[in-house]
Amino acid sequence: MIELTYKEKDGLLIPNLSIPGEKLEIGRYGRMRMNVLREKKRSVLTRLIMTGKLMYHLNQVDEEAHYLWSLKREELETEPDPGRRVQIREETKEAIRELIYG
């Protein structure tokens, strides 16, 4: 049996509850994904919250987006053709959009 602790507020005992999971920092792309979940994918957001996997999911999206940029950054630095560099950037942005909105 789980033992609960309580705090008193205005004469009422309120249980100290928290969602289990690690405290992770959410970066730019994780915050963008959170906004998409809030605005367009409420059922996915609810499921992630109920299973305690929201922070992990947001952190994964952020890490994958940064990883994509790091892979393409090397290619961009060595590409002599400016037109091809623009194409690489746009392809990378599209892949990241798919991570965030997909």
Side-chain angles (χ1 to χ4, degrees):
M1 183 173 182
I2 298 173
E3 189 173 318
L4 293 176
T5 59
Y6 297 87
K7 62 183 173 190
E8 186 175 344
K9 184 173 181 180
D10 298 329
L12 298 173
L13 290 176
I14 301 172
N16 294 318
L17 301 175
S18 64
I19 298 173
E22 299 177 33
K23 297 288 184 193
L24 299 172
E25 291 292 321
I26 302 172
R28 172 185 179 191
Y29 301 109
R31 288 190 306 270
M32 291 169 73
R33 175 66 175 164
M34 181 65 180
N35 288 335
V36 169
L37 293 174
R38 267 195 216 125
E39 295 170 9
K40 300 183 190 286
K41 299 190 175 210
R42 298 288 293 176
S43 62
V44 174
L45 176 61
T46 301
R47 181 177 46 81
L48 288 168
I49 290 171
M50 297 301 286
T51 58
K53 296 179 180 177
L54 177 62
M55 296 300 287
Y56 177 77
H57 173 74
L58 297 176
N59 191 51
Q60 283 298 109
V61 169
D62 193 68
E63 284 181 2
E64 287 179 38
H66 282 289
Y67 180 70
L68 281 172
W69 272 122
S70 69
L71 287 177
K72 294 301 180 173
R73 188 173 297 124
E74 295 170 10
E75 191 176 341
L76 284 168
E77 290 172 356
T78 59
E79 179 59 54
D81 180 22
R84 176 70 183 128
R85 284 196 301 262
V86 170
Q87 183 181 3
I88 292 168
R89 261 189 227 102
E90 291 305 313
E91 289 169 357
T92 306
K93 287 179 184 178
E94 185 57 37
I96 290 172
R97 274 188 217 104
E98 182 60 35
L99 271 175
I100 294 168
Y101 293 99

